[in-house]
Amino acid sequence: MPSNEQKRAAAKRKLQRQLAKRAEHERQRQRLTLVFAAVVVVALVAGGVFWWVQSRPKPEAPAVPAALSCAFEASPEPASKPVTKPANGPAAITPPTQDVTIQTDQGDIPVALDRAKAPCTTQSFLSLAQQNYFNDTTCHRLTTGGLSVLQCGDPTGTGSGGPGYKFADEYPVAKGKPVATTGSTFYTRGTLAMANAGPDTNGSQFFLVYQDSTLPPSYTVFGHIAEPGLVTLDKIAAGGVAPGPRGGGDGPPKIPVKIVSVDLSPANHAAPPAQPAPPAPPAQPAPPAQPAPAGH
């Protein structure tokens, strides 16, 4: 039979075993708690990274300019020269400019067509040029004074001819809103613009501005004349105007001007040899207001 001493020793050993088990259970609990906390932290970090990546602004794709759709509609007047109208639909918008040379019997007129601002007008002009529509046609009108332009593009030479189709106005003609500035800002020396017979009646006639001209912004601007072309225009203007029905400052140029062809290859913008400037005319009273370019 165990003695009291032995019983106390056995009880002590049992207590020690119980305490050891409890300590081991506590260590396991702490380890599990740490593992769970680590898992939670990792999950939170991963979730935060995912949210940050998803919430960052996405880089936007480069904006692609929308191609303007052109409508070339039959006009009441038949074509003055056989020609096929351009196809309706989106107009090319690149490259933004197109160099061409209007070759006349009085000298070349290099111009840069502005496809970015007037894509439909540029498309029509290039189509007519490719079909030789302008070849062997006269520039039928020269004006002086407040309106200083040479007008061309009518195969009949009368100012009433056209390609048998019409299309809508473009820059700077307002579309349903007031124009913010005056026309004098748009039709400065070197401007290439369309003549018309009213809103949205553009056809083949165009005018070349050789001096700043005051006009309402009702005529599509579709290009700019290079310096060598201005030299040619100055020579034609210096020759004067043959009086017409509209008065002494509006009629056929005294120096006849015929378009030989329109060269679609890049224009040579090198300036020609300098020519002596024509003598300045004596001062004259300002001419009366002149009618704006008209045509089809």
Side-chain angles (χ1 to χ4, degrees):
M1 180 176 213
S3 64
N4 290 336
E5 186 65 25
Q6 289 174 331
K7 289 180 180 179
R8 285 194 294 270
K12 184 178 181 180
R13 287 194 298 273
K14 181 178 180 181
L15 178 61
Q16 288 175 342
R17 288 195 299 271
Q18 291 175 341
L19 291 175
K21 287 182 180 179
R22 290 176 184 174
E24 179 63 23
H25 289 159
E26 182 63 22
R27 285 193 295 271
Q28 289 181 354
R29 187 188 66 80
Q30 290 177 352
R31 284 196 295 269
L32 291 174
T33 300
L34 289 175
V35 170
F36 177 76
V39 170
V40 171
V41 170
V42 170
L44 289 174
V45 171
V49 170
F50 177 79
W51 174 85
W52 179 75
V53 170
Q54 292 298 317
S55 63
R56 290 182 64 192
K58 304 295 187 295
E60 296 182 1
V64 178
L68 178 68
S69 183
C70 305
F72 302 99
E73 303 174 350
S75 62
E77 304 80 14
S80 302
K81 190 175 181 178
V83 71
T84 302
K85 73 179 182 69
N88 294 337
I93 53 178
T94 55
T97 61
Q98 171 77 48
D99 287 342
V100 302
T101 303
I102 302 171
Q103 299 174 330
T104 80
D105 57 358
Q106 297 301 324
D108 288 352
I109 305 177
V111 299
L113 305 182
D114 194 338
R115 183 181 278 113
K117 289 182 178 178
C120 296
T121 306
T122 298
Q123 180 172 319
S124 174
F125 186 89
L126 292 175
S127 173
L128 293 172
Q130 289 168 343
Q131 297 179 72
N132 299 324
Y133 179 87
F134 299 116
N135 291 15
D136 300 320
T137 62
T138 60
C139 293
H140 59 277
R141 185 185 183 196
L142 180 69
T143 65
T144 60
L147 178 64
S148 301
V149 306
L150 177 68
Q151 190 165 331
C152 314
D154 173 12
T156 70
T158 64
S160 59
Y165 65 83
K166 61 182 180 178
F167 56 95
D169 298 320
E170 294 182 294
Y171 175 86
V173 184
K175 296 294 183 185
K177 59 182 179 180
V179 178
T181 186
T182 62
S184 59
T185 303
F186 300 112
Y187 307 98
T188 54
R189 174 175 166 86
T191 298
L192 174 66
M194 291 297 294
N196 63 48
D200 301 328
T201 59
N202 300 288
S204 62
Q205 292 189 43
F206 59 92
F207 60 93
L208 306 112
V209 183
Y210 62 89
Q211 292 295 342
D212 292 358
S213 297
T214 302
L215 281 171
S218 302
Y219 306 92
T220 297
V221 173
F222 70 106
H224 189 79
I225 306 162
E227 187 59 33
L230 292 173
V231 171
T232 299
L233 290 174
D234 288 342
K235 180 183 73 171
I236 296 167
V241 181
R246 292 171 173 165
D250 189 342
K254 285 185 177 179
I255 300 176
V257 183
K258 181 169 71 173
I259 296 177
V260 178
S261 66
V262 177
D263 182 7
L264 302 186
S265 61
N268 178 8
H269 289 184
Q275 300 181 4
Q284 297 180 358
Q290 308 210 19
H296 299 281

